[in-house]
């Protein structure tokens, strides 16, 4: 398939919904990156939302192996082309959408040299997040318990991590939300060094305050908290918590 996207580096940000990707997207734009000409309040490119809705579940299955269908690649290519309509030669381009992590098989096939930032947030707190859109779209059986949502967080993020490490190598980076809150400029500088991009001074004019939800899992009854902690334990260790 023809590949004619910009030759400047492409950087993609994905995560479980509610992990803090909005502020990370703001930092990337402050660093001079192009993340789409029309974006919603969450910093997601409007040109990509419909295609992501169609492709996310298919891409999630491909994380375990397999080749993307040509029709799906064509759909994603058309969406990316629309997304780039207002690109004006910025030093790097890309997009931010939590479910971008499930579209890695399509994105890697179309965009040479793609870098991927995998943003994660404490899975115990994510189990209680009010942002459940991703869970509800990928686990249609029902709202689930905190332990169910914790298990989905752990399994999906570990699946993405394994796939990204295998196909991207050092073009894959993990960004923890808690680290970004403590030291945004340091986190962006680290990503810039890894990816060979100038991402600082990224924090200009953007204040990051840890949200009230940090540590909310501690309010769970003891049995529920234990179930959540057991569900997230393998992923928490893998992501350095």
């Amino acid at each position: 398939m023809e590949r004619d996207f910009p030759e400047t580096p492409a950087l993609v940000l994905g995560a479980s919904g509610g992990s803090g990707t909005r502020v990370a997207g703001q930092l990337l734009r402050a660093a001079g990156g192009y993340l789409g000409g029309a974006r919603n309040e969450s910093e997601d490119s409007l040109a990509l939302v419909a295609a992501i809705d169609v492709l996310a579940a298919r891409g999630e299955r491909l994380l375990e192996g397999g080749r993307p269908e040509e029709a799906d690649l064509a759909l994603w290519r058309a969406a990316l082309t629309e997304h780039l309509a207002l690109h004006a030669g910025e030093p790097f381009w890309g997009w931010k959408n939590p479910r971008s992590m499930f579209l890695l098989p399509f994105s890697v096939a179309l965009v040479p040299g793609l870098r991927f930032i995998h943003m994660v947030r404490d899975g115990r707190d994510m189990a209680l997040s009010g942002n459940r859109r991703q869970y509800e779209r990928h686990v249609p059986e029902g709202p689930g318990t905190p332990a169910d949502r914790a298990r989905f967080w752990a399994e999906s993020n570990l699946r993405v991590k394994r796939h990204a490490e295998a196909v991207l190598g050092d073009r894959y980076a993990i960004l923890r939300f808690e680290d970004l809150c403590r030291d945004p400029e340091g986190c962006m500088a680290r990503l810039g060094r890894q990816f060979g991009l100038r991402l600082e001074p990224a924090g200009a004019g953007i204040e990051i305050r840890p949200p009230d939800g940090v540590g909310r899992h501690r309010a769970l009854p003891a049995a529920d908290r234990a179930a959540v902690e057991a569900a997230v334990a393998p992923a928490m260790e893998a992501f350095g918590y």
Side-chain angles (χ1 to χ4, degrees):
M1 180 174 289
E2 182 185 3
R3 301 178 181 184
D4 60 359
F5 296 121
E7 293 183 359
T8 49
L11 199 160
V12 176
L13 177 65
S16 293
S19 297
T21 55
R22 178 184 59 82
V23 71
Q26 291 175 335
L27 289 168
L28 291 173
R29 288 200 300 109
Y34 175 86
L35 299 187
R39 301 175 306 278
N40 61 23
E41 62 182 11
S42 297
E43 293 286 327
D44 299 334
S45 173
L46 294 176
L48 302 179
V49 172
I52 290 174
D53 283 343
V54 172
L55 296 173
R58 302 175 193 174
E60 183 182 20
R61 292 190 292 271
L62 289 174
L63 293 173
E64 298 291 352
R67 296 173 60 87
E69 297 287 340
E70 290 297 324
D72 291 340
L73 289 174
L75 174 61
W76 190 227
R77 176 185 174 80
L80 290 177
T81 300
E82 181 182 353
H83 166 74
L84 284 161
L86 297 178
H87 180 259
E90 288 84 352
F92 66 94
W93 68 281
W95 62 92
K96 171 264 162 193
N97 187 296
R99 289 196 292 166
S100 293
M101 67 181 193
F102 296 130
L103 271 74
L104 276 176
F106 308 116
S107 300
V108 170
L110 292 177
V111 184
L114 179 144
R115 286 93 158 153
F116 177 60
I117 298 174
H118 185 184
M119 194 161 184
V120 294
R121 181 175 175 180
D122 190 321
R124 298 167 298 179
D125 289 338
M126 291 296 292
L128 300 179
S129 174
N131 183 345
R132 300 175 184 174
R133 291 188 296 273
Q134 193 176 103
Y135 176 85
E136 290 168 355
R137 286 169 174 166
H138 290 257
V139 186
E141 288 79 5
T145 65
D148 292 331
R149 296 191 293 273
R151 193 170 300 108
F152 172 74
W153 175 88
E155 292 175 353
S156 59
N157 280 284
L158 284 174
R159 191 177 303 123
V160 169
K161 182 177 186 289
R162 288 192 297 266
H163 181 84
E165 287 174 338
V167 302
L168 295 175
D170 61 5
R171 290 185 285 120
Y172 167 64
I174 295 167
L175 174 60
R176 299 193 308 183
F177 172 73
E178 295 81 8
D179 295 337
L180 189 66
C181 289
R182 284 191 294 267
D183 184 15
E185 292 189 0
C187 285
M188 300 308 286
R190 173 182 63 82
L191 293 171
R193 289 192 298 272
Q194 179 173 343
F195 292 150
L197 299 173
R198 183 175 177 81
L199 297 182
E200 65 274 30
I206 300 174
E207 184 179 2
I208 302 178
R209 297 179 180 177
D212 294 337
V214 172
R216 58 192 161 199
H217 65 278
R218 299 188 185 97
L220 281 172
D224 292 337
R225 187 169 68 251
V228 165
E229 290 177 346
V232 301
M236 292 285 282
E237 180 177 1
F239 290 111
Y241 284 94

